[in-house]
Amino acid sequence: LQTRMQSLQPDPKAQYRSVYEALKKIVLTEGFWRPLRGINVTMLGAGPAHAMYFACYEKMKKSLSETLQHGGNSHLANGIAGSVATLLHDAVMNPAEVVKQRMQMFNSPYKSVLGCIRTVQKMEGFSAFYRSYTTQLTMNIPFQAIHFITYEFMQEQINSHREYNPRSHIVSGAIAGAVAAAATTPLDVCKTLLNTQENMALSSVNISGHLSGMVNAFKTVYQLGGISGYFRGVQARVIYQMPSTAIAWSVYEFFKYFLTKHKLEKRT
């Protein structure tokens, strides 16, 4: 839904006024499973990407907090740790995101994940999978900094003893995801344009070939939609991120609690 709603020059058949209308229209005209196209490539990359992401975050947060605030909870340390962890996470997830978004476009010519990978590789080269990487990082570094700082701040407010409390992890994760998603929507719109290389949008502003670079993407978005163009799909983005970050944090905190408890039991 987010990819479709961020389309800057959509086909008349793919114009949506709201998240609900978009979902209803896609299901009725393109089939029940259409909104889930490309989910398999996302799932394939998500495992190793998130493993590196949380491992790097936990290690860096601990080391930096000891240096900056003598073992206390430093918001600066949380932001830096989240930003560095993003570098590893996005190196794995960026190609998966390119494939997913190309398959989710209206009238997408790609029938399968492998077919999409082969066609993009053949027509545009390997660099096509990382064309939006700098934009992804430019978006995700502030996103993750805001996300981690907000999560840790919320934990201080509703779970000050930092005990395992599923409800507090879900609430903190959802709020952190919503705040970070809303703040970084303009960068996400630019990333979507770089990933999809939307033909109708590019030809309407006389761009031939491939659009590359965040600065060019920002200019193109403004030419096509003005200031409001930067916030296309903000509702879909927030709705998507809230459960996503809530689930990620609750699962992570559960395994952290489970493994720590198991380790302590083995020692005693």
Side-chain angles (χ1 to χ4, degrees), residues 120-133:
V120 172
Q121 167 71 31
K122 187 179 176 183
M123 302 297 290
E124 301 176 43
F126 180 75
S127 63
F129 296 107
Y130 283 94
R131 194 176 283 130
S132 67
Y133 185 55

Side-chain angles (χ1 to χ4, degrees), residues 123-189:
M123 302 297 290
E124 301 176 43
F126 180 75
S127 63
F129 296 107
Y130 283 94
R131 194 176 283 130
S132 67
Y133 185 55
T134 51
T135 304
Q136 181 90 332
L137 287 177
T138 307
M139 179 187 73
N140 276 356
I141 286 172
F143 176 92
Q144 296 302 351
I146 295 166
H147 171 208
F148 282 109
I149 290 167
T150 307
Y151 179 81
E152 298 288 356
F153 173 77
M154 287 302 302
Q155 283 291 285
E156 281 182 352
Q157 305 308 307
I158 62 176
N159 185 19
S160 56
H161 296 297
R162 303 310 298 262
E163 297 168 341
Y164 174 63
N165 183 329
R167 187 180 295 177
S168 82
H169 302 316
I170 290 168
V171 171
S172 298
I175 291 171
V179 171
T184 56
T185 297
L187 290 161
D188 194 48
V189 171

Side-chain angles (χ1 to χ4, degrees), residues 4 26 30-37 103-105 108:
R4 294 286 187 93
I26 291 168
E30 300 174 53
F32 181 78
W33 298 109
R34 190 67 175 87
L36 298 177
R37 278 200 80 185
M103 292 185 72
Q104 288 177 343
M105 287 169 65
S108 173

Side-chain angles (χ1 to χ4, degrees), residues 147 169-175 177 241-251:
H147 171 208
H169 302 316
I170 290 168
V171 171
S172 298
I175 291 171
Q241 285 295 346
M242 283 182 77
S244 173
T245 48
I247 291 166
W249 277 110
S250 57
V251 171

Side-chain angles (χ1 to χ4, degrees), residues 19 24 37 52 55 64 74 84 88 98 148 163 213 219 221 238 252 266:
V19 173
K24 184 180 175 183
R37 278 200 80 185
M52 290 190 295
L64 287 170
S74 166
V84 175
L88 295 173
V98 171
F148 282 109
E163 297 168 341
K219 287 177 183 174
V221 171
V238 169
Y252 169 68
K266 278 184 78 176

Side-chain angles (χ1 to χ4, degrees), residues 27-117:
V27 169
L28 289 174
T29 58
E30 300 174 53
F32 181 78
W33 298 109
R34 190 67 175 87
L36 298 177
R37 278 200 80 185
I39 196 170
N40 49 349
V41 72
T42 304
M43 289 172 69
L44 194 67
H50 278 77
M52 290 190 295
Y53 174 68
F54 279 114
C56 177
Y57 170 70
E58 197 64 39
K59 181 70 177 171
M60 282 208 70
K61 180 183 83 166
K62 192 177 177 182
S63 302
L64 287 170
S65 287
E66 284 173 1
T67 306
L68 297 170
Q69 208 161 307
H70 307 293
N73 182 33
S74 166
H75 291 305
L76 179 61
N78 299 335
I80 295 169
S83 301
V84 175
T86 302
L87 294 170
L88 295 173
H89 175 272
D90 286 1
V92 176
M93 286 305 294
N94 205 85
E97 185 77 1
V98 171
V99 174
K100 184 197 79 171
Q101 290 193 317
R102 296 230 179 185
M103 292 185 72
Q104 288 177 343
M105 287 169 65
F106 182 74
N107 276 343
S108 173
Y110 310 109
K111 303 300 178 190
S112 68
V113 169
L114 280 177
C116 180
I117 292 168

